[in-house]
């Protein structure tokens, strides 16, 4: 079990820790808090909605993988369903810093890969950088999404990103997390390959048309998918491999368990993730050769 998570749990107020301990220690804990659990915690602790989310931030930050900066950032995204999804920053030694994942991206993509179609609000232990404000501006719920920080009143994303540049400025109407999947299919019984195609169908790539997805298998045969999340400002785009790596860490697994990776993307795309995906896999020093298919 994640030792940082155990430490964070032990440092919470007793009433909060006692309730969360059996939930967090369950082997099937998925780094999420259900609506019922959250409401019960509010009743038990007499904390307000925002106070409770802030109190839970150390648990989210415990998932940080930050061997370069040793700076742990946690985020909690509340999906339209009301479920709370943890996220934390990820750094990959040996890869360019641009390959890192910010906590906000982590929590949002966590919610996205678990089926959410938008984010109500996000709670973060540090003020979001410009990169993350721009990333969040691509979301289907960007116009009404709230941002909560410790010791501050909640503000809308648009207050954090005034005079924003976004999809509409490039005449794009399809938004990230919106329920408009692609409909590509292949006739193949390979489970890893079909999962990668399923991830491709979730991907958001209206600028490059490089709809692509990835499936990562671990040595316990579990499979985690990642869909590409493109951005109007281009640079804040989130690669599919990183989205899958987020899911692996939040499931309490380790990169060393990765045994196979399949990337599927469209031949007509204006860019490709093939070389950068292999490069990042190489920095993980797993000896993994990327399986690749263009359709």
């Amino acid at each position: 079990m994640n030792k940082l998570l155990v430490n964070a749990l032990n440092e919470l107020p007793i009433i909060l820790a006692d309730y969360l301990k059996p939930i967090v220690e369950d082997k099937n804990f998925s780094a999420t808090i259900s609506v019922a659990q959250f409401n019960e915690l509010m009743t038990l602790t007499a904390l307000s909605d925002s106070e409770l989310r802030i109190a839970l931030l150390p648990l989210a930050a415990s998932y940080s993988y930050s061997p370069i900066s040793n700076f742990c950032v946690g985020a909690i995204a509340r999906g339209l369903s009301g479920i709370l999804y943890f996220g934390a920053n990820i750094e990959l030694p040996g890869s360019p810093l641009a390959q890192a994942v910010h906590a906000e991206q982590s929590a949002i993509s966590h919610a996205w890969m678990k089926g959410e179609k938008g984010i109500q609000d996000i709670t973060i232990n540090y003020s979001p950088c410009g990169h993350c404000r721009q990333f969040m501006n691509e979301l289907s719920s960007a116009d009404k999404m709230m941002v909560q920080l410790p010791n501050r009143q909640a503000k809308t994303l648009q207050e954090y990103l005034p005079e924003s540049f976004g999809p509409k400025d490039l005449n794009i109407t399809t938004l990230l997390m919106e329920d408009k999947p692609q409909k590509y299919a292949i006739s193949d019984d390979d489970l890893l390959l079909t999962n990668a195609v399923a991830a491709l169908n979730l991907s958001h790539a209206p600028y490059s048309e490089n709809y692509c997805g990835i499936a990562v298998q671990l040595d316990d045969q579990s499979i985690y998918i990642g869909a590409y999340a493109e951005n109007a400002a281009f640079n804040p785009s989130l690669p599919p491999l990183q989205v899958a790596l987020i899911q692996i860490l939040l499931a309490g697994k380790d990169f060393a368990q990765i045994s196979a990776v399949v990337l599927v993307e469209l031949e007509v795309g204006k860019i490709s993730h093939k070389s950068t995906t292999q490069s990042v896999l190489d920095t993980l020093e797993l000896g993994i050769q990327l399986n690749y298919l263009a359709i």
Side-chain angles (χ1 to χ4, degrees), residues 10-227:
N10 291 335
E11 292 175 4
L12 292 178
I14 292 176
I15 191 169
L16 197 55
D18 286 347
Y19 180 89
L20 289 170
K21 188 175 175 64
I23 296 171
V24 169
E25 292 183 345
D26 188 296
K27 65 178 181 179
N28 295 316
F29 179 61
S30 58
T32 63
I33 300 294
S34 72
V35 176
Q37 290 167 342
F38 187 77
N39 288 339
E40 191 168 353
L41 274 172
M42 279 203 298
T43 300
L44 283 172
T45 61
L47 294 173
S48 69
D49 185 297
S50 60
E51 288 171 337
L52 180 54
R53 281 182 283 129
I54 290 167
L56 293 171
L57 277 173
L59 299 183
S62 72
Y63 286 92
S64 172
Y65 184 80
S66 47
I68 298 174
S69 68
N70 295 310
F71 185 70
C72 299
V73 184
I76 302 174
R78 175 154 42 194
L80 298 183
S81 69
I83 297 172
L84 301 180
Y85 298 86
F86 292 174
N89 58 318
I90 297 177
E91 300 165 357
L92 301 169
S95 290
L97 293 180
Q99 296 296 327
V101 179
H102 296 222
E104 295 91 329
Q105 293 178 306
S106 174
I108 290 166
S109 62
H110 181 199
W112 182 33
M113 291 299 96
K114 287 187 173 171
E116 293 286 353
K117 305 305 179 186
I119 302 296
Q120 295 184 48
D121 53 58
I122 190 162
T123 308
I124 321 155
N125 55 352
Y126 295 98
S127 184
C129 69
H131 180 98
C132 288
R133 298 179 196 198
Q134 184 65 49
F135 179 82
M136 292 187 285
N137 199 43
E138 192 79 18
L139 297 177
S140 60
S141 50
D143 60 337
K144 47 189 174 292
M145 180 178 167
M146 301 299 295
V147 178
Q148 179 68 63
L149 299 173
N151 304 312
R152 297 190 198 178
Q153 292 294 318
K155 293 182 180 180
T156 66
L157 172 61
Q158 299 309 315
E159 288 179 288
Y160 276 100
L161 192 65
E163 300 183 29
S164 63
F165 177 86
K168 64 182 180 183
D169 295 293
L170 295 176
N171 298 315
I172 296 297
T173 57
T174 303
L175 303 175
L176 179 60
M177 295 186 77
E178 202 166 47
D179 193 14
K180 292 184 178 179
Q182 309 304 310
K183 297 180 180 179
Y184 294 96
I186 57 169
S187 55
D188 198 296
D189 294 330
D190 186 303
L191 186 59
L192 203 57
L193 186 58
T194 55
N195 270 275
V197 173
L200 178 151
N201 284 329
L202 292 173
S203 65
H204 174 74
Y207 311 104
S208 71
E209 298 181 348
N210 179 236
Y211 295 96
C212 65
I214 205 164
V216 179
Q217 186 171 51
L218 305 190
D219 52 20
D220 62 4
Q221 302 305 303
S222 59
I223 295 174
Y224 297 89
I225 65 170

Side-chain angles (χ1 to χ4, degrees), residues 203-269:
S203 65
H204 174 74
Y207 311 104
S208 71
E209 298 181 348
N210 179 236
Y211 295 96
C212 65
I214 205 164
V216 179
Q217 186 171 51
L218 305 190
D219 52 20
D220 62 4
Q221 302 305 303
S222 59
I223 295 174
Y224 297 89
I225 65 170
Y228 176 40
E230 212 160 61
N231 190 272
F234 288 18
N235 287 39
S237 301
L238 188 59
L241 176 60
Q242 275 81 333
V243 175
L245 295 179
I246 289 163
Q247 311 312 307
I248 291 169
L249 287 179
L250 291 169
K253 305 293 182 66
D254 192 276
F255 296 156
Q257 296 176 259
I258 296 174
S259 60
V261 181
V262 173
L263 174 69
V264 179
E265 61 184 5
L266 300 188
E267 286 184 313
V268 298

